[in-house]
Amino acid sequence: MSDTMTDGDDPTRVAIACQGGGSHTAFTAGVLKGLLREWDDEYELVGVSGTSGGAFNALAAWYGLVTADEDKAIELLDAIWEDLSASSLSDQFMNNFVVGLSRLGSTGIPMLQVSPYDIPGSEVGKDEIRETLERHIDFNTIPDLCGRDTPELVVGTVNINAGIFETFTNEAVTPKAILASAAVPAMFEAVEINGHYHWDGLFSQNPPIDDLMTVDAGRKPEDLWVIQINPQEREGEPTSLEEIADRRNELSGNISLNQELGVIERVNTWIDEGHLPESEFSKTDIHRIPMGRQYHCSTKVDRSPGFIQELMDLGEQRAEEFLASRAGSLPIETTS
């Protein structure tokens, strides 16, 4: 991305954080496509982070940008999600079966729950994700691509053994790191990295924020754009085990996110009130790009091409609205 402007002013440094949420992260891919397609020289991308499916999107956008340009990043996002969608007849059958089970479970009918460690071939899903990513991204080149002039790349996971959030950044982003970020405990076995086991980052930093902020002062984002999958508010009471688990996961991700954003807002306030010198501390404006539409919890495992395309189209629509808001024609969605 260009970091020069025609009027001679420095571009606004922007970091983008991509929340995870199963198939719903196709929405995030759509938002990124919309943002990249209309990217203006008044912005400089200095970082991108993601968790779970958000990590797929962050990686694809980052890799496309640092190896080529915005068009390449958009092409990669489309290609990866085309491969992830259930396009073959056998895949469509399995997808409909899984979605049907999820929807049936949400009606309150007791369902047999089995550990992924007790299911033969439970690693097939992870293998397919790895093969898809490696088909489009040469992970061996990532260490050479990372540098001072490239955006930060951050992937979020949970370290089961240490009991902490753990992020993988830049050259540490490997296929294992991406798979660890997407290892939903009830569906996939944990991923071992450096002697510790890791689970899905949806339970922790969803998406990672701190790593985007703790960089050199000249690279710290002035704007943070959060692509938010999980609804902040939901009407009604979750009653089935699936609905309860889904809302619990949404809350754990959002609460963690809001805590990290709250730290940024507190620093902004202290700067405004003169408690922190502007010569040493800088403010970061926070903007959210929410999905703004609620779907049944079963759709988080729905990989049907039509649904994936619907989510990507919605994401592009939200990106268009967001960019219009930045131009002053619509109210900006911000934290409060």
Side-chain angles (χ1 to χ4, degrees):
M1 289 184 172
S2 172
D3 59 1
T4 59
M5 296 179 64
T6 56
D7 61 4
D9 293 335
D10 291 334
T12 299
R13 297 186 299 274
V14 174
I16 302 176
C18 305
Q19 196 171 59
S23 295
H24 288 184
T25 43
F27 165 81
T28 305
V31 173
L32 288 172
K33 285 172 57 182
L35 296 177
L36 293 169
R37 187 174 288 116
E38 302 298 328
W39 195 269
D40 195 286
D41 284 351
E42 67 177 290
Y43 300 121
E44 177 192 3
L45 185 67
V46 295
V48 57
S49 72
T51 291
S52 196
F56 302 169
N57 295 322
L59 172 64
W62 180 90
Y63 190 80
L65 290 171
V66 299
T67 57
D69 51 25
E70 290 91 341
D71 289 340
K72 179 62 175 178
I74 292 170
E75 178 185 320
L76 280 176
L77 286 163
D78 277 331
I80 287 174
W81 277 98
E82 181 178 356
D83 285 359
L84 289 174
S85 64
S87 53
S88 69
L89 288 176
S90 59
D91 210 6
Q92 289 175 18
F93 174 81
M94 181 57 66
N95 180 71
N96 292 338
F97 177 73
V98 171
V99 173
L101 279 182
S102 180
R103 188 170 292 275
L104 186 63
S106 67
T107 64
I109 297 176
M111 304 295 293
L112 178 65
Q113 297 184 345
V114 183
S115 166
Y117 293 88
D118 297 329
I119 303 174
S122 64
E123 294 296 271
V124 170
K126 284 200 297 191
D127 290 340
E128 291 180 350
I129 293 173
R130 179 192 294 106
E131 291 169 3
T132 295
L133 295 175
E134 291 181 339
R135 188 178 304 124
H136 300 286
I137 293 168
D138 185 353
F139 283 87
N140 293 325
T141 65
I142 288 181
D144 295 329
L145 295 171
C146 298
R148 183 171 179 81
D149 295 329
T150 57
E152 291 285 306
L153 174 62
V154 185
V155 170
T157 73
V158 168
N159 186 321
I160 304 171
N161 302 117
I164 59 173
F165 304 156
E166 185 169 349
T167 54
F168 295 88
T169 62
N170 300 323
E171 64 274 3
V173 175
T174 63
K176 271 194 170 185
I178 298 292
L179 291 176
S181 184
V184 179
M187 297 177 63
F188 299 119
E189 296 181 15
V191 177
E192 187 272 329
I193 302 176
N194 299 327
H196 282 187
Y197 289 94
H198 296 76
W199 269 342
D200 191 342
L202 291 178
F203 296 101
S204 60
Q205 295 169 295
N206 186 21
I209 300 295
D210 186 62
D211 289 84
L212 296 173
M213 309 301 298
T214 53
V215 294
D216 293 342
R219 302 289 291 172
K220 182 182 177 183
E222 297 164 288
D223 263 20
L224 175 64
W225 299 351
V226 180
I227 304 175
Q228 189 164 353
I229 299 292
N230 294 334
Q232 186 66 33
E233 299 178 356
R234 269 193 185 274
E235 294 185 0
E237 179 183 7
T239 55
S240 71
L241 288 177
E242 283 73 14
E243 290 170 341
I244 292 169
D246 183 57
R247 188 52 180 161
R248 183 185 64 188
N249 289 347
E250 289 177 344
L251 290 172
S252 63
N254 280 352
I255 290 172
S256 175
L257 168 64
N258 291 335
Q259 286 175 333
E260 289 200 272
L261 296 181
V263 172
I264 298 173
E265 292 175 324
R266 193 173 302 116
V267 170
N268 289 344
T269 299
W270 288 342
I271 293 173
D272 286 338
E273 294 177 349
H275 302 304
L276 294 175
E278 291 190 51
S279 59
E280 299 180 27
F281 295 88
S282 59
K283 295 173 60 177
T284 298
D285 292 328
I286 301 168
H287 305 285
R288 303 189 196 223
I289 308 176
M291 181 183 287
R293 187 179 298 175
Q294 295 186 12
Y295 293 93
H296 189 269
C297 60
S298 64
T299 61
K300 287 187 176 179
V301 295
D302 186 358
R303 296 180 296 110
S304 60
F307 183 58
I308 294 299
Q309 189 60 54
E310 175 186 334
L311 291 170
M312 294 185 80
D313 291 343
L314 177 61
E316 293 208 51
Q317 176 187 334
R318 294 290 183 258
E320 181 180 354
E321 294 168 354
F322 174 74
L323 292 174
S325 76
R326 299 293 288 159
S329 59
L330 288 173
I332 298 176
E333 182 77 24
T334 63
T335 59
S336 59

